Amino acid sequence: TEEKYTIITLKGEVDLHFSPAARKQILKFLGKKHNVLVDLSQVEYIDSSGVASLVEGYKLARTNGLDFCLLNSSEAAVRVLKLAHLDQIFPMHLSINEYLNGS
């Protein structure tokens, strides 16, 4: 079967205002059985609602045997993920090539 990958790029502030839209996109593509790669390179701020959307996506992907990975996380995003110890949970890669090559 051909693997389907969808890259979702989050930008700016991923907070209570923006995270419902991010969550909707993530869940939509996972529902279509796509592997989801979330590009966090342009995230300036992420709060607990944004993190919750990522966690929900990750759990749904695992339940359905799909890949879910964070790409090129910004310093701001990494800081929050480390505080929550989620950098230990989420697969995180610097680029799509690194992800596809399995490093």
Side-chain angles (χ1 to χ4, degrees):
T1 61
E2 184 186 322
E3 296 275 2
K4 290 193 173 153
Y5 294 92
T6 298
I7 298 177
I8 297 172
T9 302
L10 301 183
K11 299 177 181 174
E13 298 188 358
V14 184
D15 55 15
L16 206 53
H17 177 72
F18 180 75
S19 60
R23 175 183 176 274
K24 189 175 175 186
Q25 286 288 28
I26 290 167
L27 299 182
K28 176 175 94 173
F29 285 106
L30 288 170
K32 292 180 180 180
K33 302 292 184 236
H34 287 223
N35 295 296
V36 171
L37 314 177
V38 183
D39 184 331
L40 299 177
S41 61
Q42 299 175 56
V43 171
E44 296 163 13
Y45 171 80
I46 184 166
D47 72 3
S48 59
S49 65
V51 170
S53 298
L54 296 176
V55 169
E56 187 176 353
Y58 176 72
K59 285 181 177 174
L60 183 63
R62 291 208 35 170
T63 299
N64 292 308
L66 298 167
D67 285 350
F68 185 89
C69 160
L70 305 181
L71 292 178
N72 199 11
S73 301
S74 68
E75 239 178 79
V78 169
R79 216 172 19 250
V80 172
L81 293 170
K82 280 188 174 177
L83 271 174
H85 302 289
L86 290 170
D87 58 320
Q88 312 291 315
I89 307 286
F90 286 120
M92 296 172 76
H93 296 279
L94 293 176
S95 68
I96 180 82
N97 290 337
E98 182 187 282
Y99 166 76
L100 292 173
N101 294 326
S103 22

